[in-house]
Amino acid sequence: MRPNPAPTSLTDKCCLVTGANGGIGQATAEHFAALGARVLTTDLCDGFPGECRSEHRAFDLLDPEGLSACTEWIEQEGPDILFNNAAVFDFGSVIDAGLDQFDRLFGVNVRAMYAVMQAAARAMIAREKPGSIINLASQAGHRGEALVAHYCATKAAVISYTQSAALALAPYGIRVNAISPGVIDTPMWDTVDRHFAAAENKEIGQKKREVGEAVPLGYMGRPFEVARVAVFLASDQSQYMTAQTISVDGGNVPR
């Protein structure tokens, strides 16, 4: 039987990226555009800073009205591919992480993630076309961390919702997978580093350097390395994959 390699081209596909204005989201939007996709982006801020053309909208996904407006936009546009990336981070153990932090992290990382995924799925079903939904989890979703209780729990929820959605949407030809990045050099990690510096009496930049050196592959990942996996999950290269979570972590969390 002759090989039949699947294309990675996203020509004629509409790809929507949330949390697009930096780091992994921006890199992924740029990769999708480079492969021919029409790219829709959203974030808190107006305008998309990436080096590609996008149709950008600003929404506050923690605000009920902002989230509702975003989901209405998604259902109107009917993307073929959703890169469900928007998330927030905060620091705290079960001793001191309060319910205000719980509400904020679960509000964006779980509630908004779910609503955006649901809107994209409904749009795909209404248009009777297959699609690919890619949710952003984290290595933090595979194991608890003493000082990052709420964030870890939100990312565990992302993995679970990915599996449930994949099974529900499989009859419609809609694939749902997740990516679990490890330590990736993004603006969010600068925030993480400052939290650890205060909690562990370290210099700014020290924690970030230490975790990068501790990765089995020897360095902190870069946003484009996650974006490349997103391209794989968005394209026909992964057409027989659903309900999976792919770790992009340099070997940090072997499974």
Side-chain angles (χ1 to χ4, degrees):
M1 183 176 178
R2 296 183 64 184
N4 182 25
T8 55
S9 171
L10 298 177
T11 300
D12 299 325
K13 299 293 186 182
C14 176
C15 300
L16 189 145
V17 179
T18 69
N21 283 27
I24 292 170
Q26 180 178 326
T28 300
E30 292 171 341
H31 275 64
F32 286 168
L35 290 168
R38 172 193 173 207
V39 176
L40 310 177
T41 56
T42 180
D43 209 304
L44 273 171
C45 306
D46 290 323
F48 175 64
E51 297 182 3
C52 70
R53 179 182 176 186
S54 83
E55 300 168 44
H56 186 84
R57 297 282 186 92
F59 299 107
D60 181 353
L61 300 183
L62 190 59
D63 175 69
E65 292 184 2
L67 180 58
S68 178
C70 182
T71 57
E72 288 177 8
W73 177 57
I74 291 169
E75 292 197 36
Q76 290 169 3
E77 294 292 346
D80 301 284
I81 296 151
L82 168 66
F83 189 69
N84 205 0
N85 172 67
V88 293
F89 175 86
D90 212 338
F91 196 80
S93 74
V94 295
I95 300 167
D96 52 26
L99 293 181
D100 287 347
Q101 185 189 115
F102 177 98
D103 290 341
R104 186 169 67 88
L105 267 65
F106 271 83
V108 177
N109 299 3
V110 182
R111 188 173 186 272
M113 178 280 304
Y114 176 83
V116 167
M117 175 175 67
Q118 184 181 65
R122 286 175 171 170
M124 292 171 188
I125 292 169
R127 288 164 174 76
E128 297 183 343
K129 61 182 182 180
S132 176
I133 294 173
I134 307 160
N135 295 321
L136 260 289
S138 168
Q139 72 174 26
H142 297 284
R143 64 186 186 194
E145 296 284 350
L147 298 178
V148 198
H150 291 329
Y151 182 77
C152 289
T154 66
K155 291 305 185 178
V158 171
I159 294 169
S160 181
Y161 272 121
T162 295
Q163 294 168 352
S164 296
L167 298 176
L169 296 173
Y172 301 98
I174 300 168
R175 299 181 296 108
V176 188
N177 294 289
I179 297 175
S180 282
V183 289
I184 307 297
D185 193 0
T186 67
M188 181 181 283
W189 237 100
D190 292 332
T191 301
V192 175
D193 178 79
R194 289 194 296 272
H195 281 297
F196 274 106
E200 298 182 351
N201 195 29
K202 296 179 182 290
E203 295 180 359
I204 298 295
Q206 182 179 348
K207 185 71 175 184
K208 185 175 177 180
R209 183 175 65 255
E210 289 172 350
V211 298
E213 291 171 351
V215 173
L217 284 182
Y219 65 95
M220 180 172 276
R222 295 154 295 186
F224 74 82
E225 290 170 308
V226 180
R228 288 173 174 175
V229 178
V231 166
F232 168 71
L233 291 175
S235 74
D236 288 344
Q237 291 280 345
S238 59
Q239 68 181 13
Y240 198 55
M241 285 183 63
T242 196
Q244 304 305 307
T245 298
I246 300 177
S247 292
V248 184
D249 64 5
N252 240 10
V253 186
R255 284 192 312 284

